[in-house]
Amino acid sequence: MKVVVITGSSRGIGRATAIEFAKNEYSVVVNYNKSKQEAEKVVSEIKNFGQDALSFKADVSDFNEANNLINFAIKEFGKIDVLVNNAGISLQKIFQNVTESEWENLFKVNVWSVFNCCAAVANHMISRKKGKIVNVSSIWGIAGASMEAHYSASKAAIIGFTKSLAKELGPSGIHVNCVAPGVIDTEMNNFDEKTMEELKNEIPLKKIGSAKNIAETILFLASEQSDFITGQTISPNGGLI
Ligand code: NAP
């Protein structure tokens, strides 16, 4: 039985990823920060189709809490095969109005969390000479987005980190890749109907992506089918870029 830890899997893309991995016979550690009830629902859904799952509260922007999450998974399941760094927040604001503390908080949740969890799991994966890490960036980390300079910068940082860590951990048999989703139907995109319709019209495939679309890409990057892929960024975005 393989074991996956997915940060921010109480809702949205993380939730869909937890379900997708469970369907593929993984034991799942469902991490949440604020949404305890939602995380427990994900756990019972997974248990309903016969897989093992546990929820764990950790604010992964905090180094010690991220460590606790990784140690919990190793203690309960004996190992970690896959780490998915998915937890993230967004903020749409014109650049001049972004405060220093908003910038700091965004980087802590989106970037430090990835460092924190990778740092916590690295020695474990190195000693096993295998492991897969999938980091969730964003299309805007590649293309840049107006009114989201801070968010785009945090997501671009994840791509640079992924490329470098892949080079460093490759000789130890560890894969590090990135998924950079386009516009996906989750609570993060809390736009009105008109804005969503406009966004849809800009996408060549004329549809908003689903959380499942991203979960399937993450699962691919964790699977044996991607065994010669590392340091890469895949952007499921309906052809937007
Ligand atoms: P979402 O529906 O808002 O869900 C965000 C998840 O992250 C929640 O489960 C939340 O858990 C968790 N989270 C936030 N801060 C956390 C923290 N400090 N510690 C632990 N968990 C934390 O967002 P989503 O759309 O699924 O986004 C997931 C990832 O995909 C993010 O990294 C996002 O930037 C990226 N992404 C999304 C889109 C999109 O269009 N939706 C596009 C590109 C990239 P709690 O509620 O328990 O706090």
Side-chain angles (χ1 to χ4, degrees):
M1 187 70 66
K2 287 192 170 178
V3 179
V4 62
V5 176
I6 306 166
T7 70
S9 40
S10 51
R11 300 183 287 111
I13 291 169
R15 177 191 174 281
T17 305
I19 304 290
E20 210 56 36
F21 273 75
K23 281 184 186 160
N24 283 271
E25 299 182 350
Y26 276 79
S27 298
V28 186
V29 176
V30 176
N31 160 246
Y32 67 97
N33 184 31
K34 294 178 181 156
S35 307
K36 184 173 197 264
Q37 275 191 336
E38 286 87 340
E40 281 168 3
K41 261 174 73 179
V42 178
V43 167
S44 54
E45 213 174 319
I46 289 173
K47 286 190 170 161
N48 276 345
F49 45 78
Q51 295 304 321
D52 228 350
L54 290 167
S55 64
F56 191 83
K57 178 182 166 25
D59 173 353
V60 286
S61 71
D62 180 275
F63 186 79
N64 292 326
E65 291 193 32
N67 241 300
N68 293 343
L69 167 67
I70 298 299
N71 289 338
F72 170 80
I74 295 170
K75 184 170 159 271
E76 292 297 328
F77 291 116
K79 60 171 184 166
I80 296 171
D81 296 286
V82 181
L83 166 66
V84 181
N85 285 308
N86 163 78
I89 53 171
S90 66
L91 180 71
Q92 279 90 30
K93 231 178 182 189
I94 62 167
F95 173 66
Q96 296 95 309
N97 290 347
V98 177
T99 64
E100 191 187 351
S101 70
E102 283 170 336
W103 172 275
E104 188 179 335
N105 186 45
L106 205 117
F107 266 73
K108 278 206 144 186
V109 178
N110 289 1
V111 187
W112 291 32
S113 64
V114 179
F115 163 74
N116 291 341
C117 292
C118 287
V121 86
N123 282 338
H124 173 72
M125 286 185 172
I126 289 167
S127 68
R128 298 183 72 225
K129 291 243 171 266
K130 61 179 175 182
K132 297 214 173 189
I133 298 173
V134 184
N135 298 323
V136 180
S137 173
S138 163
I139 186 175
W140 310 126
I142 301 170
S146 170
M147 302 221 346
E148 290 192 87
H150 44 308
Y151 177 77
S152 304
S154 74
K155 291 299 181 178
I158 294 173
I159 294 173
F161 178 74
T162 299
K163 289 180 192 172
S164 305
L165 201 63
K167 288 189 174 171
E168 191 164 332
L169 298 185
S172 300
I174 298 155
H175 298 64
V176 190
N177 287 295
C178 210
V179 174
V183 184
I184 308 302
D185 185 16
T186 69
E187 285 168 31
M188 187 174 273
N189 285 321
N190 194 15
F191 304 123
D192 58 37
E193 222 172 284
K194 186 170 166 274
T195 311
M196 286 307 266
E197 205 49 42
E198 282 167 5
L199 277 167
K200 196 157 95 179
N201 280 329
E202 280 178 41
I203 301 169
L205 288 181
K206 300 293 170 206
K207 59 181 176 188
I208 302 291
S210 68
K212 191 170 187 287
N213 291 148
I214 306 308
E216 284 166 346
T217 311
I218 295 172
L219 183 69
F220 165 68
L221 288 173
S223 73
E224 285 169 11
Q225 279 71 45
S226 65
D227 269 355
F228 200 48
I229 299 177
T230 197
Q232 304 303 310
T233 298
I234 300 182
S235 183
N237 62 47
L240 191 52
I241 59 160

